[in-house]
Amino acid sequence: MADRCKICQEEPWKYKCVKCYIKYCSLDCYKVHQKEECKKIEVAKQVETVVERVPEEMELDLEDVIVKATDLEKLSKTSSRGA
């Protein structure tokens, strides 16, 4: 059985709110949801909490991840010499 619309609880959901990701089935349910307070702020707080829990040793420095084009050229020259 498909997940049901979180607004009417009757039809299968087809759409998600772009702010809070609640699942709804129709324009009518979307309008009902818009009249209520959207939970966007709560979702943002939850994401922030999860990010805060990431251990420091798991965080990556972007400079460690990004390979510069000049470094790639050096690697390709090195591997072509060995071939």
Side-chain angles (χ1 to χ4, degrees):
M1 176 165 57
D3 284 341
R4 298 284 174 195
C5 170
K6 300 298 181 187
I7 308 299
C8 71
Q9 302 290 324
E10 294 176 11
E11 299 295 322
W13 69 274
K14 296 178 186 176
Y15 313 101
K16 290 182 183 179
C17 175
V18 297
K19 295 178 182 175
C20 70
Y21 305 107
I22 192 170
K23 299 171 183 177
Y24 61 94
C25 67
S26 65
L27 181 59
D28 289 336
C29 285
Y30 176 76
K31 288 178 179 179
V32 168
H33 173 63
Q34 292 304 303
K35 288 180 183 178
E36 300 171 357
E37 185 177 336
C38 185
K39 305 294 185 200
K40 177 183 176 184
I41 295 170
E42 289 180 24
V43 171
K45 286 180 183 176
Q46 290 172 358
V47 169
E48 186 176 298
T49 301
V50 169
V51 169
E52 288 173 356
R53 291 182 184 170
V54 174
E56 286 184 29
E57 62 269 8
M58 292 183 71
E59 292 179 11
L60 295 173
D61 185 4
L62 285 180
E63 291 189 20
D64 292 340
V65 176
I66 298 172
V67 178
K68 298 177 184 173
T70 55
D71 293 338
L72 289 175
E73 285 180 30
K74 289 176 187 176
L75 286 171
S76 67
K77 288 178 184 176
T78 305
S79 63
S80 63
R81 282 188 224 153

